[in-house]
Amino acid sequence: MNGFENRPVIVGVDRSEASRWAVRWAADEAAGRGLPLQLLHAQEWPTGQPEEEGHHRVIGLRAAGDALLDTARLLAAERHPGLEITTKLAEGRPVRVLREAADEAAQLVLGIRRLTEARSALPIGSKGASLVGHLNCPIALVPEPPEDLSGPGSVVVGVDGSEASRAAIGFAFEEASLVGADVQAVEVRRPTEVGRPGLIEESLVDLSEAMAGWQEKYPDIRVRREVLTGSPAPMLAAVATRARCLVIGSRGLGGFRGLLFGSTGRALVHRCTVPLVIVPNGIQA
């Protein structure tokens, strides 16, 4: 994507199983896009302890962090031999460290736990709102474990006719081109709109117009268009059940029709069984 050619794909690393899946996704993205991979682990050093005790604990934490990063490095290197990989052990609160790292990233990748847990492997809950929608690069949330990523699947993209979804469409086509996948463009209309005459036909025309330029740029990619009615988050998650990933756009504050904030946003994050990629407005493929 324009402006990101020399930036690394950065993945947050922790001790969860979700983090291992995130490393796999990030390594695939970096290798496919010809970018370096950076493995990042953030630690908060102990405070309020006697100096000597605190010093010894910091040494132990650093050693544990280095070992964690080394394990992740081996995982990425085994998946993609020859991939340029660096590691970084950073001091500070994870949200702050990740937000600062995103300023220098082509893509930020985080692991999240599955449906049954409200917590995430990295802070994507209430703290995560300070990341999602406020980053200058795409953020990929990879569930534990996602569907098998070895096959291309389809790249599903949520389209709502806004400027924000244009960036998501561009990312979806680029991703599909990299892995040899189809693009499935989906627009979800609210049930309250169902009775309006010509709604589906109008929406299909809107989808065709939104995709036209990208189909010219990527003529070999097969595109499917679908208009659904219902609640956006569960509908998109259901369509993407066996997809390579689900891509949505973010305007920043407010997000994709509000999906990234509030109860609907949390539902989408925890319902999605495949990587969820959130692309900020203004990013161009």
Side-chain angles (χ1 to χ4, degrees), residues 179-197:
V179 300
D182 299 337
V183 168
Q184 184 173 0
V186 180
E187 182 170 359
V188 181
R189 306 306 294 256
R190 302 279 181 177
T192 53
E193 301 176 278
V194 172
R196 182 153 64 84

Side-chain angles (χ1 to χ4, degrees), residues 229-246:
T229 58
S231 180
M235 295 300 290
L236 286 170
V239 170
T241 299
R242 301 198 62 80
R244 158 83 180 169
C245 60
L246 169 61

Side-chain angles (χ1 to χ4, degrees), residues 158-162 164-165 186-190 193 196 199 202-203 206 228 230-233 236 248-262 264-265 268:
V159 181
D160 69 353
S162 70
S165 69
V186 180
E187 182 170 359
V188 181
R189 306 306 294 256
R190 302 279 181 177
E193 301 176 278
R196 182 153 64 84
L199 173 68
E202 176 188 315
S203 297
D206 290 342
L228 305 173
S231 180
L236 286 170
I248 60 175
S250 169
R251 297 182 181 89
L253 293 174
F256 174 84
R257 287 193 187 273
L259 288 181
L260 302 182
F261 297 88
T264 307
L268 183 60

Side-chain angles (χ1 to χ4, degrees), residues 3 5 17 36 56 66 87 91 172 175 188 255:
E5 290 83 355
E17 181 63 22
H56 286 303
D66 286 336
T87 62
E91 176 183 354
E175 183 71 22
V188 181

Side-chain angles (χ1 to χ4, degrees), residues 13-186:
V13 177
D14 68 6
R15 292 172 178 79
S16 70
E17 181 63 22
S19 176
R20 293 176 59 83
W21 286 102
V23 169
R24 292 182 176 95
W25 169 272
D28 290 351
E29 287 289 288
R33 296 172 184 273
L35 298 173
L37 174 67
Q38 182 182 102
L39 307 168
L40 174 63
H41 179 61
Q43 291 182 328
E44 293 186 73
W45 307 136
T47 59
Q49 296 182 343
E51 182 176 350
E52 183 175 349
E53 181 180 342
H55 176 69
H56 286 303
R57 189 175 178 194
V58 166
I59 292 176
L61 285 172
R62 284 187 181 276
D66 286 336
L68 184 68
L69 287 169
D70 192 53
T71 298
R73 181 184 60 79
L74 291 173
L75 174 63
E78 181 179 2
R79 193 171 182 86
H80 292 285
L83 179 63
E84 180 184 345
I85 304 171
T86 60
T87 62
K88 183 176 181 180
L89 181 62
E91 176 183 354
R93 297 180 60 192
V95 168
R96 178 183 62 80
V97 170
L98 292 167
R99 185 186 298 166
E100 292 175 354
D103 289 338
E104 305 299 327
Q107 184 180 147
L108 180 66
V109 183
L110 305 177
I112 57 172
R113 293 190 177 98
R114 290 293 291 275
L115 303 176
T116 55
E117 299 195 30
R119 296 177 306 162
S120 57
L122 283 163
I124 302 300
S126 59
K127 294 180 181 178
S130 61
L131 283 174
V132 175
H134 293 270
L135 302 182
N136 295 320
C137 72
I139 178 172
L141 307 179
V142 182
E144 171 200 4
E147 299 293 337
D148 183 7
L149 300 180
S150 60
S154 295
V155 175
V156 177
V157 56
V159 181
D160 69 353
S162 70
E163 287 297 318
S165 69
R166 288 176 55 83
I169 294 170
F171 185 98
F173 270 90
E174 187 176 70
E175 183 71 22
S177 177
L178 288 172
V179 300
D182 299 337
V183 168
Q184 184 173 0
V186 180

